[in-house]
Amino acid sequence: MQILFIIAAAAVSIGTTLYGRKVMKSGKKGNIKKAILTTVSAFGLIMVGAIVSTIFGGNVFAETAEATTEAAAGAIGIGEGLKYLSAALSTGIATIATGIAVGSVGSSAIGAISEDSSLLGKTLIFVGMSEGIAIYGLIISILILFV
């Protein structure tokens, strides 16, 4: 069952990417927020289904009790999976926040430098501080994984 959710999630991701490229090449105008919300909600529903199926579904392919115990002994548990998920989320959300911060701070820095070129050093400090968000997310991920 989990493989069906993975295939569905991959189909949504690939389909959205291909359709987005087609629309961008044709030059159509549309509501980008609505398009992103639709894609994220579809992908999110598929992932929720996969998580619920994983938690409440049994091992469908196990034929005997011995195979189940051998598989459980070698497999990682739900805690290990949540550890990897939380590390990925901390890095991903931190880099998204960095992109937003650098975008706004960088454009403001360019405007300030265009008016007074002596402000270059000060504006680089602010851009560097906003890039630090990604480093903090990476440090948290490393702590989650190895501590």
Side-chain angles (χ1 to χ4, degrees), residues 111-129:
I113 292 170
S114 67
E115 291 183 15
D116 185 10
S117 62
S118 66
L119 295 175
L120 177 65
K122 293 177 183 176
T123 57
L124 285 178
I125 292 172
F126 289 114
V127 173
M129 288 174 58

Side-chain angles (χ1 to χ4, degrees), residues 1-12 46-47 49-54 57-61:
M1 186 64 153
Q2 289 88 2
I3 193 75
L4 294 176
F5 285 114
I6 292 171
I7 291 171
V12 166
I46 292 171
M47 287 296 101
I51 291 170
V52 168
S53 172
T54 302
N59 191 354
V60 191
F61 303 109

Side-chain angles (χ1 to χ4, degrees), residues 62-74:
E63 296 177 6
T64 63
E66 280 183 23
T68 306
T69 55
E70 289 176 10

Side-chain angles (χ1 to χ4, degrees), residues 39-115:
T39 304
V40 169
S41 61
F43 190 77
L45 286 174
I46 292 171
M47 287 296 101
V48 167
I51 291 170
V52 168
S53 172
T54 302
I55 291 174
F56 295 115
N59 191 354
V60 191
F61 303 109
E63 296 177 6
T64 63
E66 280 183 23
T68 306
T69 55
E70 289 176 10
I76 60 173
I78 189 77
E80 197 72 19
L82 288 175
K83 179 172 85 169
Y84 292 126
L85 180 65
S86 62
L89 283 175
S90 69
T91 302
I93 293 171
T95 50
I96 289 171
T98 298
I100 294 169
V102 168
S104 62
V105 171
S107 65
S108 300
I110 294 293
I113 292 170
S114 67
E115 291 183 15

Side-chain angles (χ1 to χ4, degrees), residues 18-56:
L18 293 177
Y19 180 72
R21 288 187 61 164
K22 178 183 170 188
V23 168
M24 286 178 61
K25 284 183 181 179
S26 68
K28 290 183 181 178
K29 301 289 182 191
N31 189 351
I32 190 71
K33 288 183 182 179
K34 184 178 178 184
I36 290 174
L37 180 65
T38 304
T39 304
V40 169
S41 61
F43 190 77
L45 286 174
I46 292 171
M47 287 296 101
V48 167
I51 291 170
V52 168
S53 172
T54 302
I55 291 174
F56 295 115

